[in-house]
Amino acid sequence: MHSDRTDAAPPQPAPTGSPDRPPTRPVPPTSADDAVPGDDDRHEVTRLPRLLLPAAGGRWAVLLALAVAASTTATLLLPALLARAVNQALAGAGTAAGRQLVLVLALLTAAEATAQYAAPRSSAEGAGRIRALAIRRTLAAGPAAVARMPVGDLVARLTASAPQAALAAPALVYSAAQLLMAVVAVVALTLISPLLSLAFLATAPTGYAVIRRQLRRTTHAGDGYQRTQAQLASGLLDALSGSRSIAASATVTREIERVLRPLPHLSRLGHELWDTQRRTAWCTGLLAPATQLAVLAVAGTQVAAGRLGVGDLLAALGYTGIGLSGLGTAQSLLDVAQARAGAARLAGVLTLPVRGVTSRPLPAGPGRLELRGVVVRRQGVAALDGLDLTVPDGSWTALVGAPDSVTSLVAALAVGLAEPDEGTVTLDGVPLMAIHPDELPTAISCAFADPVLTGATVQDALGLGPAPPPPWRLRGAARAAQADTFVRRLPDGYRTPMSSLVLSGGERQRLGLARALARDSRLIVLDDATCGLDGATEAAALHALRDVAAGRTVLHITRRATVAAAADRVAWLHEGRVHTVAAHDELWPLAAYRDVLDGGTPGPRPAPVRASAGD
């Protein structure tokens, strides 16, 4: 279940007067838990990327390691066998070395083919394992995950950083193999002639200096690139969360500029990554022929002097090419650097505090919802500042206010999808965070403006939950939500596969509303769940809701006057607190109240209006 809005603020402050920023003052963290650790510190913690270990395992990583080991062995044997075969051919001594050479070539071909297939499979398997680990940790952390980092940043870490971290397995395998081949090649050149190894090593310091410098650049640029991507994602989600307010206040252009503000920096970092690879390829491309010419000159001189044979010359050239694979580790090490950057980003997710699961039972009750002294901070800003709200049992309360993200935050608190930094949220006297998670879906049902409908069929989507309601109840809820008519027109009615449907926003809202009404829950929370319906359909749905929800408690987040008028009472949220609780007819004469319902920006602080008892 997801709302079409988020309560997370983007990492950069919004321009003055942004309609989707809570009009509250910044509040510094009051404890160490409120402070979000910086990624720079996190990167220092993960100097040795222990988070890469889950990606390094798996059957495909093992197969890749075996294939690369076989390929490395065959590659190191080739020059020696070639030299032996040539010497035997020149001496007319037989073809035993030639047959061995063919067998090694066959082994090399098979091993390389296997490695080419296993490498991407290993990365894909590793990405899946790391992503599953991070998602499990996020779910175990519960609302604390969103409280510690913006939603866009969290999504970017779960999606983009996992594949980057999964580059570790093949990158480490290839790096180790290439370095091993370089060392063995230098030893082999030394055994052939110490002068050959000296000629080879003359260019090595330059090559390794280039690689080290480029690795530092790649690590810095890769980490910055992922951070900036997260900033863009956070800004976009934040703008989408308040799209209605943005449109109503005619600040679309300003919001576009705000969201795209990190884009030039992202472009610079992307160009820096490409430039790093270009420079590495250019430098190693020059060093390789220079090294080969130096070794060839020394070997040719020794062949002319009679100190080396023709086979030795070929072996020297072969081991020179193998030794140059040490320069080829540049790309593999660049992948390792990117993997470390991804692991550093994932560290913030994998170290989220896990909420302990409690087993306090929820006693029978009428569904009375209370929020007392609730304070919620998002990125150092108090979105809710001492909120006190009581939703009496069996009543229908509409909550109105601006910005949208703050009213949606109240809905998230009411259903247990967010936790307050201070204060309590109780259902029939029991704190929501003390109720076992398995009991919440039974006690509370909810519907959002942009519901996510999951399930094989329409009936499965409506019955989503630990204990699906019976079919007759699902159909009754669909009739109340004005969804039964269009569902019956589908090819297979309620058995129609969800994957075959293309639903409008209003149709999805009606199905989401039906899903909420189908459960016999004591509390129903609706977060702008009818905003996409036309007037007639909404009126019919609200009338049916009154009958279906009779005796149950309803909290309806809305910006629509028709919904507020249909409720028993209206709670007017202003500057992070409930300013007024009264009937819609009593509030309607206030211009500031009408502006909120019309989707405009709230006016100056309104004069107090009589509040109902208990609030």
Side-chain angles (χ1 to χ4, degrees), residues 120-297:
R121 295 297 298 266
S122 172
S123 296
E125 181 184 51
R129 295 178 65 181
I130 288 182
R131 186 175 286 131
L133 181 66
I135 290 175
R136 283 197 295 268
R137 185 75 180 200
T138 303
L139 295 176
V146 176
R148 290 173 68 91
M149 62 188 69
V151 174
D153 188 16
L154 179 61
V155 172
R157 294 179 194 231
L158 293 176
T159 55
S161 297
Q164 288 232 321
L167 292 172
L172 290 173
V173 168
Y174 280 118
S175 297
Q178 289 162 345
L179 289 174
L180 175 63
M181 288 194 295
V183 172
V184 173
V186 172
V187 173
L189 288 174
T190 303
L191 294 177
I192 296 173
S193 173
L195 292 176
L196 296 177
S197 60
L198 291 176
F200 178 87
L201 293 174
T203 59
T206 304
Y208 289 117
V210 169
I211 293 173
R212 183 178 178 183
R213 180 173 180 272
Q214 302 309 324
L215 279 176
R216 287 200 299 266
R217 290 186 63 193
T218 300
T219 301
H220 170 75
D223 184 61
Y225 192 88
Q226 291 188 42
R227 291 171 188 260
T228 310
Q229 275 187 322
Q231 288 183 2
L232 279 167
S234 297
L236 178 60
L237 284 176
D238 188 60
L240 290 174
S241 70
S243 57
R244 295 168 63 216
S245 294
I246 293 171
S249 57
T251 57
V252 175
T253 301
R254 188 175 65 188
E255 288 301 307
I256 291 175
E257 293 175 354
R258 179 180 68 86
V259 171
L260 298 182
R261 189 178 302 150
L263 194 58
H265 184 56
L266 183 71
S267 177
R268 286 194 297 272
L269 291 172
H271 280 87
E272 184 176 345
L273 285 171
W274 282 110
D275 184 65
T276 298
Q277 297 188 30
R278 178 184 63 82
R279 288 175 179 269
T280 302
W282 178 71
C283 293
T284 56
L286 288 180
L287 287 171
T291 304
Q292 288 175 324
L293 287 174
V295 173
L296 181 61

Side-chain angles (χ1 to χ4, degrees), residues 365-369 390-396 428 522 551-554:
R368 181 182 179 88
L369 176 69
T390 297
V391 183
D393 51 274
S395 70
W396 181 355
D428 291 323
R522 64 182 75 178
R552 294 193 276 175
T553 306
V554 178

Side-chain angles (χ1 to χ4, degrees), residues 83 192 196 295-301 303 308-318:
I192 296 173
L196 296 177
V295 173
L296 181 61
V298 173
T301 302
V303 169
L308 295 179
V310 176
D312 295 329
L313 175 62
L314 293 175
L317 291 177

